[in-house]
């Protein structure tokens, strides 16, 4: 049976570039996904992390991204994101603005509320 | 609290004036975010020569809080999650309400946060059995930490035995402060 996913629109208080620091390369998505996974693993622990399996699905702008998680660990992921208050010694907060079962509806919501330009990725 | 179509309305209390920063409560999923000092009178119980009638007071000294309640303050904003049974019984008898902020829980980390969660769970269990009206709020000073409805609700659900009860206590702020 196919596992169900949930997409979460997340806004960071700091820019992704500032969070990555020297790790900011051409493949920003991959580096940022690694960074988020590391901090989510710390907040959720091994058991809840495997229930959530968070992945950065898309970076929409300098501060906004979409996180793809398993439906089973959706609530844990939202709380885990709220509990991250430092990344690479930079004080930060991640605010979850919207969640949906499809990435398309999240992108549409983002375009209608926050962006004039079409989303990247 | 529900709107005309039966949809639950969510409320929060912030310790800064978000209107100056262009933050929209709707974008964060709230029907309204009240502002301390603007929409709700929030006073330190230790300050003198203040009119406490209708205000929400905060202080770590419970005897001071009780005396301000007698002077007309209608609610208490907790600064820690420590359970004082005598004080809760006083609130229950006088029909005063309690505001329980999660800002400390968010700013702590590791064992301190686990301690906060444990104390908060005990406190809430006692508040529910004592039938004290209370609401869970963010009450952050920092606009960057003004979390969304989704986050406030799911963090609240960590400390309630029943998730539906958590929902009831993040939607009742407007009714308990009497801002109808």
């Amino acid at each position: 049976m196919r596992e169900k996913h949930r997409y979460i629109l997340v806004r960071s208080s700091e820019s992704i570039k500032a969070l990555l620091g020297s790790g900011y390369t051409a493949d920003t998505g991959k580096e940022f996904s690694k960074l988020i996974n590391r901090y989510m693993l710390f907040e959720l622990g091994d058991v809840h992390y495997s229930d959530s399996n968070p992945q950065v699905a898309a970076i929409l702008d300098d501060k906004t991204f979409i996180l793809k998680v398993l439906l089973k660990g959706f609530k844990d992921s939202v709380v885990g994101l709220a509990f991250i208050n430092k990344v690479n010694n930079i004080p930060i907060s991640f605010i979850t603005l919207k969640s949906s079962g499809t990435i398309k509806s999240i992108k549409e919501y983002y375009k209608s509320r926050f962006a004039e330009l079409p989303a990247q990725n | 609290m529900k709107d005309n179509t039966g949809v639950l309305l969510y409320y929060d209390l912030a310790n800064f004036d978000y209107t100056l920063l262009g933050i929209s409560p709707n974008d964060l999923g709230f029907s309204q975010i009240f502002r301390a000092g603007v929409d709700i009178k929030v006073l330190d119980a230790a300050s003198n020569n203040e009119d406490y009638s209708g205000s929400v007071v905060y202080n770590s000294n419970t005897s001071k809080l009780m005396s301000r309640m007698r002077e007309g303050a209608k609610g208490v904003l907790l600064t820690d999650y420590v359970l004082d049974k005598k004080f809760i019984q006083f609130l229950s008898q006088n029909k005063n309400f309690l505001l329980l902020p999660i800002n400390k829980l968010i700013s702590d980390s590791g064992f301190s946060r686990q301690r906060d969660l444990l104390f908060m769970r005990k406190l809430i269990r006692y508040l529910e059995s004592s039938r004290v009206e209370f609401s869970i709020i963010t009450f952050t000073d920092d606009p960057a930490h003004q979390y969304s409805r989704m986050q406030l609700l799911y963090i609240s659900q960590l400390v309630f035995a029943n998730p539906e009860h958590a929902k009831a206590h993040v939607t009742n702020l407007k009714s308990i402060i009497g801002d109808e």
Side-chain angles (χ1 to χ4, degrees), chain B residues 124-157:
Chain B
I124 282 170
R125 210 164 54 200
Y126 196 73
L127 286 173
E128 285 195 308
S129 66
S130 308
R131 298 182 187 280
V132 174
E133 278 197 305
F134 68 99
S135 191
I136 312 271
I137 53 168
T138 313
F139 200 66
T140 175
D141 304 326
D142 184 359
H145 287 94
Q146 178 55 55
Y147 285 134
S148 64
R149 175 189 89 182
M150 203 195 303
Q151 283 166 309
L152 181 64
L153 178 63
Y154 292 159
I155 291 171
S156 304
Q157 286 182 351

Side-chain angles (χ1 to χ4, degrees), chain A residues 7-100:
Chain A
Y7 295 89
I8 311 170
L9 181 66
V10 188
R11 175 158 279 189
S12 158
S13 62
E14 288 293 329
S15 72
I16 291 168
K17 193 176 177 180
L19 295 179
L20 287 172
S22 58
Y24 188 77
T25 56
D27 199 355
T28 315
K30 205 173 171 183
E31 286 302 315
F32 187 60
S33 194
K34 270 188 199 172
L35 186 79
I36 289 294
N37 287 359
R38 189 149 50 92
Y39 282 89
M40 285 293 274
L41 176 61
F42 178 77
E43 293 298 340
L44 298 176
D46 292 345
V47 178
H48 291 291
Y49 181 85
S50 66
D51 284 344
S52 308
N53 191 23
Q55 295 161 40
V56 175
I59 295 176
L60 301 176
D61 66 38
D62 201 28
K63 288 185 174 181
T64 318
F65 62 95
I66 299 172
L67 195 71
K68 181 186 178 185
V69 297
L70 292 175
L71 184 61
K72 195 180 168 190
F74 167 65
K75 281 187 184 181
D76 290 335
S77 307
V78 172
V79 175
L81 276 170
F83 281 174
I84 299 173
N85 46 24
K86 253 182 191 178
V87 169
N88 288 339
N89 280 328
I90 301 169
I92 192 161
S93 63
F94 291 112
I95 297 168
T96 53
L97 299 167
K98 170 111 181 134
S99 77
S100 174

